[in-house]
Amino acid sequence: EIVMTQSPDTLSVSPGERATLSCRASESISSKLAWYQQKPGQAPRLLIYGASTRATGIPTRFSGSGSGTEFTLTISSLQSEDSAVYYCQHYNHWLWTFGQGTKVEIK
Amino acid sequence: EVRLVESGGGLVQPGRSLRLSCTASGITFNTQWMHWVRQPPGKGLVWVSRINGDASETRYADAVKGRFTISRDNAKSTVYLQMNSLTVDDTALYYCASPRFGGYFDYWGQGILVTVSS
């Protein structure tokens, strides 16, 4: 099983500032990584796939980068509505696994 | 518009069984891989199971293998999760999810709560 580890657990950022979230895979997953946003009481929403491709309708302030074992989700200018938990997920192997999540708070 | 609607959740005693259903609309169901993902209260997402379009291939997480069975009825655009020998560790919000092309999940249901408790 590929273990996905996210850091930090919680990130507090002021509106308009940049938020940088990290995700590390226990072995190489090429670019087969997705990011999701989950707000309280809602289902997850796909933000990024292929490590760096934004899903349909996702604002350009969200960007993804990385390959192999190290990945980053960047929110370039944090908005109040971006307060949520963010999960990474690999799909390099049929046994899909998610990271434990990073909670982004608005300072 | 794609919609995935789960049903069948509820409170069940340890050792008992429950069957979840997820009915899809807005997609060509018989070509879609369908998955179940669960989320224990206050915790993160955990992949549970998947089934391919013609039901010829299924996969399970180790935690549910031998206890859960995924199936589908393409005529009803519905995927099922039969859960047997339930334990308190199976308590979670269960999501039905589906990818458009790859192994990432474009479409999610609203989730259905399963509580295993005596």
Side-chain angles (χ1 to χ4, degrees), chain A residues 1 33-34 36 38 41-46 48-50 55-56 87 89-91 94-101, chain B residues 33 35 37 39 43-47 50 57 59-62 65 93 95 100 102-106 108-111:
Chain A
E1 174 181 321
L33 183 99
Y36 301 87
Q38 187 179 34
Q42 296 185 15
R45 177 174 72 146
L46 178 67
I48 300 284
Y49 62 91
T56 303
Y87 295 95
Q89 174 233 333
H90 88 82
Y91 49 99
W94 67 263
L95 184 53
W96 293 265
T97 51
F98 293 85
Q100 83 279 12
Chain B
W33 291 76
H35 298 246
V37 176
Q39 186 169 35
K43 297 188 177 181
L45 302 166
V46 180
W47 176 80
R50 75 154 197 211
E57 183 181 339
R59 297 281 193 177
Y60 300 92
D62 285 347
K65 197 177 299 181
L93 189 62
Y95 291 103
R100 276 198 302 163
Y104 48 91
F105 305 114
D106 302 80
W108 295 76
Q110 83 285 357

Side-chain angles (χ1 to χ4, degrees), chain B residues 15-115:
Chain B
R16 303 298 291 267
S17 299
L18 204 60
R19 190 179 81 158
L20 304 183
S21 301
C22 169
T23 300
S25 59
I27 57 174
T28 305
F29 185 77
N30 61 5
T31 63
Q32 287 288 129
W33 291 76
M34 298 298 295
H35 298 246
W36 290 95
V37 176
R38 69 185 182 183
Q39 186 169 35
K43 297 188 177 181
L45 302 166
V46 180
W47 176 80
V48 173
S49 182
R50 75 154 197 211
I51 187 168
N52 67 344
D54 64 5
S56 60
E57 183 181 339
T58 59
R59 297 281 193 177
Y60 300 92
D62 285 347
V64 306
K65 197 177 299 181
R67 300 188 299 121
F68 289 13
T69 302
I70 191 170
S71 61
R72 64 192 296 156
D73 183 339
N74 286 344
K76 295 182 178 180
S77 296
T78 299
V79 62
Y80 304 99
L81 188 66
Q82 176 68 42
M83 304 184 294
N84 298 332
S85 303
L86 285 162
T87 74
V88 295
D89 291 338
D90 296 317
T91 294
L93 189 62
Y94 283 74
Y95 291 103
C96 173
S98 183
R100 276 198 302 163
F101 303 116
Y104 48 91
F105 305 114
D106 302 80
Y107 311 123
W108 295 76
Q110 83 285 357
I112 191 79
L113 184 62
V114 172
T115 303

Side-chain angles (χ1 to χ4, degrees), chain A residues 74-92:
Chain A
T74 301
I75 310 173
S76 60
S77 177
L78 197 75
Q79 308 296 305
S80 57
E81 62 263 33
D82 299 334
S83 177
V85 179
Y86 293 82
Y87 295 95
C88 62
Q89 174 233 333
H90 88 82
Y91 49 99
N92 189 57

